[in-house]
Structures are given as C-alpha cells and as structure tokens.
Amino acid sequence: MTEASTTNSTQDEAAFNDDARRRVEELIEEEEGIHNRYAGMLAAFVTAAAVIMSLFHLYAAVEIVPAFRLRPIHVAFTLALVFLVFPAAKRFRHRLMWWDVIFALLTLAIAGYILYWGDLLGDRATIPTTLDQVVGVALILLILEANRRSSTWILPFIVALFLAYALFGPYLPEPWTHKGYEISRLTGALYMTLEGIFGVAIDVSSTLIILFTIFGAFLQYSGAGRFFLDFSFAAMGGKPSSSGRAVVMSSFLLGGPSGSGVATTVTIGAVAYPLLAKAGYGKEAAGGLLAAGGLGAIISPPVLGAAAFLIAEFLRISYLDVILMAAIPTLLFYLGIFIMVEIDARKFAMHAVKLEKHQRALDLAKRYWYHFISLVSIVFFMLLGYSPILSVFYATLVTALVSFLQSDSALIPYDWFRGRMPWIKGFWESGFIKALEGGSIGVLNVAATCASAGIIVGVVTLTGLGLKFSSIVLDYANSGAQSLASLWVMFGADRTPELLHAMKLLLTAFYTSLIVWIVGLAVPVTASYIICAVIAAPALIKLGVPDFAAHMFIFYYAVLSEVSPPTALSPFAAAAITGGGPYRTTLQCWKYCAPAFLVPFMFVLDPSGTGLLLGGSLKNLAQADWGAIALISVTAVIGILALAGGLQGWLLRRTNIPERWMLIVAGLALVYPTTTSDVIGISLVTLVLLMQKLRPEKSTAAA
C-alpha cells in the first residue's frame, strides 16, 4: 500500500467515523436520554459533583458507611446529577432550567430528611406521619421523572402499573386480586425501611455497580480499552475470517472489563466495520456480528452486566461465584459466534484483509503488558479472599498506578509532574479526573433503573404477586404437560411421573424465557432481570431447579432481550455505524447469537446441566465431578456447532435441506442434557458429516 493511498484511506476512515459517531449518538439519545453539554463554570460544577460522588463511593469501599446512610446518599447523588445532566426535553438541551434546579434541590432535601431521622424513620414505617407520606410520594415521582429522562418513558409506565396494582387490588379479577394498600402503607414499605427503593437493587448499585463503573472508566482513560482492541486486530490477519475473528476476540477482551453491550459495540464498530466491509460482509451482517460480540460484554467476566451483581445479592453468594458460573457459558457464547464467523468466511468466500496499520501483537504485548494486570486484578484479589467491593477498589488503584508505566497511558501527564503544565488546570483536565467523572456519569442510568426496580420489588413483596405469578405459570405448565404426555403416549411411551415432571419443567422453562423476553422488550437488562427474578424464578425453583441455575437462566434471557426491538440498542447502534437497516441488523444479530442462547436451557432441564455453571460456587467446585462437567461441556460445544451449521446451511460444505434439518434437530437434542438426547444428537451430527464427506463436491445443493 502506498503512502498516498494510506493517507486517503485514513481520511476516509476518519470521515466515516465522524458520521457514524453522530448517528450512534442520535440513536443512543433516543434510548438512553439526551445529555446536556455545558460550558464554563456550570460544566466545572457538574464535573466536580460527579468527581465527589466517585470519591465518596471509593471512600465507602474501604470505610464503613452504614446502609441507612449510604443508600439514600447514593440515590440523592444519582437523582440530582440526572436532573442536571439530562434535560426534561430535547428543546431544553444544553440549558439548565429552573425546574432542573428545583428537582435537584428537592432531591437533596428529601435525602437530608431521611438522613436526619435515620433509624427512627424505619421505626414508624407502619404508621407514617402525613409529612412522611408527602416525602415518600415526592421521592417516587422524582425517581420516575429521573428514569424518564435517563432512559425512556416505558420503565416509569411499568412502575406506575405496579403501583396501581398495589392500590387497586380489591377491584382486580381473580387470581390477581388482593386486599389493596393505601398510600400510607405503600410509602412506609417503599422508602422508610431498607426495602423497596433502598433495598437490594440500590444496595448493589451503591456498593458494587458504581465501583465497577469507576473501574471501567479508569481502564478506558488509561488506554487499556484501546490496547485490547489493537491487540486483537494485530493478533489476527492473513485469513478470510481474520476480520470476523478480530471482532470476536476484541469483544471478549474489551467487553469483559466494560460490562456494557452498546459501549463495546460502538467502540469496536468504529474501527472494525471498514475491515469487515473489505472482507466482504454486508452492512447488516457486519452490524449483526458487531452487536453480537458487544452483547457478550453483559455476560463476560470479570465485570458482566449490572444484573450480575444483583444475582450475588439475591442468592447471598460471593460475586466470585457469579464469575465462576459465567465462565463456561461465556466461552460457549463466543465459541458460537466464532463458529458462525468461520462458516461465513467459507460460505460467502470472504476476502483476506491485511492489517497494515497495526503493530505485531507480540510487540504490543511487550510494551503494554501491564494492561492485562488490570484486567485480571479483580479476580486475583477475590482469590486472595478480599470482598468484591475491596477487590474492585484495589483493582482500580492498580489500574491507576500501572498507567504510569508508559507516558501515553498515564492518567496524569508526565509534564504535569515536571511542572511544564498549569498546576490546577492540568490536573483538572487529566485522565484521572475524567475517569472519576465518567464513573459517576456512567452509572446514572443504571442507578435510576435500580431505584425504579426497587419500587417494583417492594410492590411484589408487599402484595405477594411473585407467588401468585409462579402458581399461574405452574398451572399453565401442568396443563400443557398433561397434553404433551398424552401425545407422547400415542408414540408408545409410558405415562410416568418422571415424564410428566420433565414435560412440566420444559414448559415452565419455555414460559419463563418468554416472560423474560417480553419484559425485556420494554425495559433494560437490569430491570428485566429484577422483575423476573421475583415473579418467575420461584416457579423454576419449585420444580427442583437450583436457585443459582434459575437466576442464571433468567439473567441470560434478560440479556437475549437486548437483541429484540424496541430495546435492541446494540444492534441499532451497530446499524447506525454500518448504515444498514436496524431491523435487518437485529435479525443478523439473532443469527449469530442463536446457537449460544439455547445453552441456558441446559442449566435447568437436568441436574447435570448445572455442570456448565461449575456447581454454582467455589465450595461446590471442590467436590465437582469433572468428568460430568467435561461431558456436558463437550455436548454443548457439539450442539452449538450443529445449530450454527443448521442455521447457516453450511458445515463442511453447503448443506442440502435434509442435512440442515438434521443439524438443527441434533443441536436441539444436545441442548437437553440427557444420555438419550446426547446419543441422538451426536449420531445425527456424525451422519451429516459422513453424508457431506461422501457426497461429491459438484452435487452440493443450496439449502
């Protein structure tokens, strides 16, 4: 490549990135709210408030701050900053309106009221005063408005429906009816105790989610994210599947510490799409691959998505146990995408793309090796016995310190220490301050969602909706199981209790996945997980599914809802980058994700399936049957390969229609972790391989 062509290519790529960035920002604003961008003293004030919020939570990580103080302060910081950062409407953008100030001050006043009364507020939760009720109603309204601004109106609408359910229970038809609760009872339950608004969701948000968000911001501003991206692209090259492989690898490395699907998609997409286009990917196919890779960030250790922290809290287990449970499913998820990429390269005769502008992977690793320390430091500190909170605190500290090993990654420029920069301004504009600010600003959307989800959890607990809902799901599953068993008997099977239980469990899992998917159409992953964990998980647990497997099943299907409109933010962001159609890009993302997303059924359909979750804890892992874990993992890999081949219509070569359906049936059979289904699945895959080996090349037929 000549120097002139390289320059022109760089200019074209820069112009493309600017245009793509503008489209992505517009799309994200539609989904996550419109950000204000201030200047002068107002911008400095918002930055200072965000920095103080981060510093406070870092302090709370190493010093004991009682929950009845930490959680209200966290909510106060969140709501106040939301009202300053997110305008009430697009036409008020970049302007601080008087009502924004009123809302922010009212939030601080409510927090002051809660902190003033402290434990005494909880003592009178059953008989709140009139002022208590007014404060409670005001707080709920402020939370709903904050959610409307920072995301969309859908979640506040759902919260309002739950509140209406609590208020008007006596007027509802069976089986939804209940005695109903007055405003005094609702406010007492929702904000005057460490339940409801200040319950599990805000507890996790104030102690873990924000710390991991700060950690991610430190990684970003220390250059670790860029290193993972460059390293992935440098490590791949010279083969038709290289560009696709690089997307998968960089999504895995960058997504792990990010925990954000859309952030990973956008970061990688701006760099990777030109390479994917050169390799022969269409706009929608490239966008689907980028979105699928980015989506994996939500299920990838060590950070995962915000909902993963809630799993640890709901189950009262270590966050390290959650990381452990996510390890094999994450590898299977990316393996599924990787297989689809390899099939793409052969099916569509992709072109090899040479990555001239990138250094060798070995050279990058030698120079920036310390970024890998940042990536694994959290797990290292957990293995040493530190709590997740202390682990992420020390990992953030390690990231900040190792950034100074190279001048171009230092969070505070070397020239600042040498006195070659203005002392105050240089520090204020450094990556260190930007990381602290970014950590707080980045958590606002999630924290506001957690506050709203707390209202939902409070209503579900108060009204007993979770038990009602589980009973309804089980009744439907039992009725369907009876019908399926009758049909099964027609084929010569015995109508045994074991058969009925298996059918009931299968249908309950299917109904649960459908419920999670429907809820996830309207709300983010964190909210859909919380809602379904309290209303749907009990049904699976009643049928004998271990609680950790039930929660991981719901978590994974909450993630799956992220590729379904209207909340398909990652595919839509990828489409904005590639210029493809949003809905066609979403369908392509479904194609890449489909094989791995059948894996969660293996968690719940048979006890052996929990081997993919490594027993659910380090304690169980020590007593695990590694032979069974290896077997279930191998069958999962073969099942993913079969499904990928069936969906793509290609295995060793292009499949004909019978081969394609045989692969799909084999994949579905291998998802059900029993000996019989495994034998059927492996036999079908073997048969297809033999058929393709024996069939002459020229006689292959299109599917």
Side-chain angles (χ1 to χ4, degrees):
M1 180 178 287
T2 64
E3 183 176 348
S5 63
T6 302
T7 302
N8 291 336
S9 176
T10 303
Q11 291 174 347
D12 292 342
E13 186 176 321
F16 165 79
N17 288 341
D18 289 340
D19 183 55
R21 190 178 299 110
R22 176 184 56 78
R23 295 198 304 268
V24 169
E25 287 178 353
E26 291 176 354
L27 175 68
I28 293 176
E29 284 177 357
E30 291 179 7
E31 294 286 339
E32 294 190 344
I34 304 166
H35 283 73
N36 284 322
R37 290 184 176 87
Y38 299 122
M41 293 300 296
L42 191 53
F45 175 79
V46 172
T47 298
V51 168
I52 291 171
M53 179 179 179
S54 289
L55 290 175
F56 169 75
H57 284 87
L58 288 171
Y59 167 80
V62 293
E63 294 292 337
I64 297 176
V65 178
F68 68 86
R69 291 181 184 150
L70 177 61
R71 298 180 197 180
I73 291 174
H74 178 71
V75 171
F77 267 123
T78 297
L79 298 185
L81 279 172
V82 164
F83 294 130
L84 296 178
V85 172
F86 297 90
K90 193 170 185 177
R91 64 180 179 274
F92 303 122
R93 190 177 184 183
H94 309 319
R95 290 183 290 165
L96 183 64
M97 308 305 294
W98 61 268
W99 52 78
D100 298 329
V101 178
I102 294 296
F103 288 161
L105 292 176
L106 184 57
T107 297
L108 297 178
I110 291 174
Y113 181 85
I114 294 172
L115 293 174
Y116 174 79
W117 287 107
D119 287 338
L120 294 177
L121 194 67
D123 292 340
R124 61 173 188 261
T126 54
I127 46 171
T129 65
T130 301
L131 183 57
D132 290 337
Q133 296 177 51
V134 170
V135 170
V137 171
L139 178 59
I140 291 171
L141 292 176
L142 288 171
I143 289 172
L144 296 183
E145 170 62 9
N147 263 281
R148 185 194 67 81
R149 292 188 182 203
S150 61
S151 55
T152 66
W153 58 268
I154 299 176
L155 181 56
F157 175 73
I158 292 175
V159 174
L161 290 180
F162 273 88
L163 290 171
Y165 174 77
L167 290 169
F168 304 113
Y171 307 103
L172 297 174
E174 290 287 350
W176 305 102
T177 185
H178 61 87
K179 68 176 185 178
Y181 296 89
E182 298 178 347
I183 290 179
S184 60
R185 185 74 178 93
L186 268 179
T187 53
L190 293 181
Y191 96 100
M192 296 179 70
T193 65
L194 293 180
E195 302 294 336
I197 294 171
F198 301 118
V200 171
I202 283 298
D203 175 32
V204 175
S205 177
S206 62
T207 56
L208 278 175
I209 295 176
I210 187 170
L211 292 177
F212 275 87
T213 307
I214 295 170
F215 170 68
F218 270 79
L219 280 174
Q220 175 188 348
Y221 284 99
S222 68
R226 183 68 200 185
F227 163 70
F228 295 142
L229 191 58
D230 288 342
F231 178 80
S232 299
F233 281 89
M236 304 296 174
K239 294 185 178 180
S241 59
S242 294
S243 56
R245 288 180 180 180
V247 169
V248 177
M249 183 177 179
S250 58
S251 298
F252 176 72
L253 289 175
L254 190 63
S258 165
S260 170
V262 67
T264 305
T265 300
V266 171
T267 302
I268 295 173
V271 176
Y273 174 60
L275 299 174
L276 293 172
K278 290 178 183 177
Y281 280 86
K283 293 179 179 180
E284 284 81 18
L289 175 58
L290 290 167
L295 198 67
I298 311 177
I299 61 173
S300 297
V303 176
L304 294 99
F309 305 110
L310 293 161
I311 295 175
E313 189 64 27
F314 275 129
L315 299 179
R316 301 295 179 185
I317 60 176
S318 164
Y319 182 65
L320 184 59
D321 292 337
V322 179
I323 292 177
L324 185 75
M325 288 191 289
I328 293 179
T330 298
L331 294 176
L332 292 174
F333 177 84
Y334 282 108
L335 175 65
I337 302 176
F338 190 87
I339 291 172
M340 299 292 265
V341 165
E342 292 296 322
I343 293 175
D344 276 345
R346 291 158 177 78
K347 181 178 179 181
F348 300 113
M350 297 290 184
H351 311 299
V353 179
K354 196 173 181 180
L355 309 174
E356 294 93 341
K357 296 193 297 180
H358 292 268
Q359 302 179 50
R360 292 193 309 156
L362 184 59
D363 293 335
L364 284 169
K366 286 180 178 178
R367 184 175 182 185
Y368 297 107
W369 56 270
Y370 51 87
H371 287 312
F372 287 115
I373 296 178
S374 302
L375 183 64
V376 302
S377 56
I378 294 176
V379 176
F380 174 76
F381 285 117
M382 286 185 185
L383 290 174
L384 288 180
Y386 291 96
S387 68
I389 296 173
L390 280 178
S391 295
V392 70
F393 172 82
Y394 287 126
T396 304
L397 187 61
V398 167
T399 302
L401 292 175
V402 300
S403 74
F404 291 101
L405 293 177
Q406 291 283 343
S407 60
D408 56 350
S409 66
L411 287 169
I412 302 175
Y414 282 7
D415 286 344
W416 184 83
F417 293 101
R418 296 166 180 160
R420 298 174 184 173
M421 298 178 66
W423 191 254
I424 296 178
K425 183 179 179 182
F427 180 75
W428 188 251
E429 295 178 351
S430 68
F432 179 74
I433 294 297
K434 290 178 180 177
L436 290 173
E437 178 189 16
S440 291
I441 298 298
V443 83
L444 296 181
N445 181 279
V446 174
T449 298
C450 286
S452 284
I455 297 174
I456 294 173
V457 172
V459 169
V460 169
T461 303
L462 192 64
T463 60
L465 177 61
L467 296 177
K468 291 178 185 291
F469 196 87
S470 297
S471 298
I472 293 170
V473 170
L474 290 175
D475 287 343
Y476 276 111
N478 187 57
S479 176
Q482 297 287 347
S483 301
L484 283 177
S486 299
L487 183 63
W488 201 250
V489 169
M490 293 174 60
F491 291 95
D494 294 330
R495 189 187 183 94
T496 63
E498 291 78 11
L499 175 64
L500 285 173
H501 181 270
M503 294 292 185
K504 189 174 182 180
L505 181 56
L506 176 62
L507 287 174
T508 301
F510 174 74
Y511 292 153
T512 301
S513 66
L514 191 62
I515 292 164
V516 179
W517 178 69
I518 292 172
V519 172
L521 294 178
V523 298
V525 171
T526 305
S528 60
Y529 165 74
I530 294 173
I531 294 170
C532 296
V534 296
I535 67 173
L540 289 170
I541 295 171
K542 282 183 179 179
L543 291 177
V545 176
D547 55 359
F548 65 86
H551 280 261
M552 289 297 286
F553 179 87
I554 289 172
F555 171 56
Y556 273 81
Y557 272 95
V559 174
L560 176 60
S561 68
E562 279 289 285
V563 296
S564 305
T567 57
L569 185 55
S570 291
F572 281 22
I577 291 174
T578 65
Y583 293 99
R584 291 193 296 273
T585 300
T586 302
L587 290 176
Q588 288 290 325
C589 185
W590 263 98
K591 180 191 79 171
Y592 286 107
C593 292
F597 271 115
L598 285 176
V599 171
F601 275 96
M602 300 181 77
F603 304 164
V604 298
L605 295 183
D606 190 85
S608 64
T610 58
L612 291 177
L613 302 176
L614 296 177
S617 69
L618 281 173
K619 184 186 300 183
N620 293 338
L621 185 62
Q623 305 168 352
D625 182 350
W626 285 99
I629 292 174
L631 178 63
I632 192 71
S633 299
V634 169
T635 56
V637 169
I638 298 173
I640 287 173
L641 176 64
L643 281 170
L647 292 172
Q648 287 275 52
W650 192 284
L651 196 58
L652 298 177
R653 59 183 65 171
R654 189 178 301 277
T655 62
N656 53 38
I657 293 177
E659 290 170 347
R660 189 168 191 173
W661 279 106
M662 287 167 67
L663 287 173
I664 292 174
V665 171
L668 294 174
L670 288 164
V671 163
Y672 200 92
T674 63
T675 302
T676 303
S677 61
D678 287 347
V679 170
I680 293 172
I682 293 174
S683 299
L684 287 173
V685 172
T686 303
L687 181 59
V688 172
L689 288 172
L690 288 173
M691 291 170 64
Q692 293 209 331
K693 278 285 188 180
L694 297 175
R695 189 173 69 246
E697 180 73 25
K698 62 181 181 181
S699 68
T700 55

